Amino acid sequence: MAAFPNSCLPACLLVLTLVRLSRPDSAPLDVVGPAEPVVAALGGDAELPCSLSASASAERMELRWYRGRRAAAVLVRRDGRARDAEQAAEFRGRATLLDGGLAAGRAAVRLHRVRASDDGEYRCLFRQDGRYGEASVHLKVAASFFPRLTPWMVAVAVILMVLGLLTIGSIFCTWRLYRERSRQRENEFSSTEKLLDELKWKKATLHAVDVTLDPDTAHPHLFLFEDSKSVRLEDSRQQLPEKPERFDSWPCVLGRETFTSGRHFWEVKVGDRADWAVGVCRENVVKKGFDPMTPENGFWAVELYGNGYWALTPQRTPLPLAGPPQRVGIFLDYESGDVSFYNMASGAHIYTFSDASFSGPLRPFFCLWSCGKKPLTICASADRPDKVTVVVDAKDFAKEIPLSAMGEDPASGDAGTLHSKLIPTQPSHGAL
């Protein structure tokens, strides 16, 4: 082979250099990283992405992740495998390559158990056949967002915490004191209320009157005993003379006594019988038909009907009693317009009709809604409570006629009926 003249050597080297630089594989690799910092929680994992912009395969390339100097390697991969010996001690066992995307030019490193000291800038480098390129990734560790606490800041925080605890304790103590005082006031109010009720009850008994039943007003299904103190509702009907003052629909009876002024008290033994009503009414109330028993129609009464106690107001007021009264006291204050009811066993107040405008005579009022062997009894004013003695058996008053509704032929009645047909299943007074 002939040698180039010495004079041609510089020119030849220049031509070879230009040719080498013009080859495509001599261009630097274009590597890109994320535009925004990667944020990781302290103690968690972080992925640091990096890739070739041309999406060329990076499987045969040398990959190096490092921070600061290149000697502080986070991860090194060369000749298709990781070079753990070149890895910095602080990243050994904590940095792994996600090599699933190497064929597409993606090389992300996963950093495990992130520490506060991991916060900072990382660089990834791709190199092959003398060509290389690199990009940067910034890692933000969440714990590093908080400023370092100085001693005075710690002192202020402790003081605030102590003040907060003291405030909470103060509020709790104040609340407990308020609750105890409220409970004490409630107990005092309850005791005072009970005392007032007891005083009213005892005061009412000073105005006791002797009340008897008026047979001329009794419904034919009501049987009065000889002493005119006891009454019972029977299925059989008495043949009694028709009178304007006699109830012909509601099973009611009035007391003989009339009141036009003053204060008056009487007591009724209801026992454990069911379905009754007691109170007062105007002497001239409508006794024929089924007019509602309300104050507007001249009735001021309470009742036991079904499983509940009620005041006979237009919408019927429920009475939440502590227990079933065996004896009910009725106190009429004519001038004040009040009718009060008491449980005589305990002296507890049951209900009061207040500020009524009484006009004309008032009379004691009694009503039975269902049949039963036990009578409703007016207690004697001198030695309450009196034990009732039945002088004449109720059957002696019966005329042994079939039971019938008012105004019907007795033959049309059903003698096997347990309760009087006069008392509907849902009586009209239920709408009171």
Side-chain angles (χ1 to χ4, degrees), residues 212-227:
T212 56
L213 299 172
D214 183 358
D216 290 338
T217 64
H219 186 280
H221 281 276
L222 291 179
F223 289 79
L224 276 59
F225 301 135
E226 275 189 355
D227 58 1

Side-chain angles (χ1 to χ4, degrees), residues 99-111:
D99 56 2
L102 287 176
R106 294 190 298 273
V109 167
R110 176 169 292 167
L111 194 59

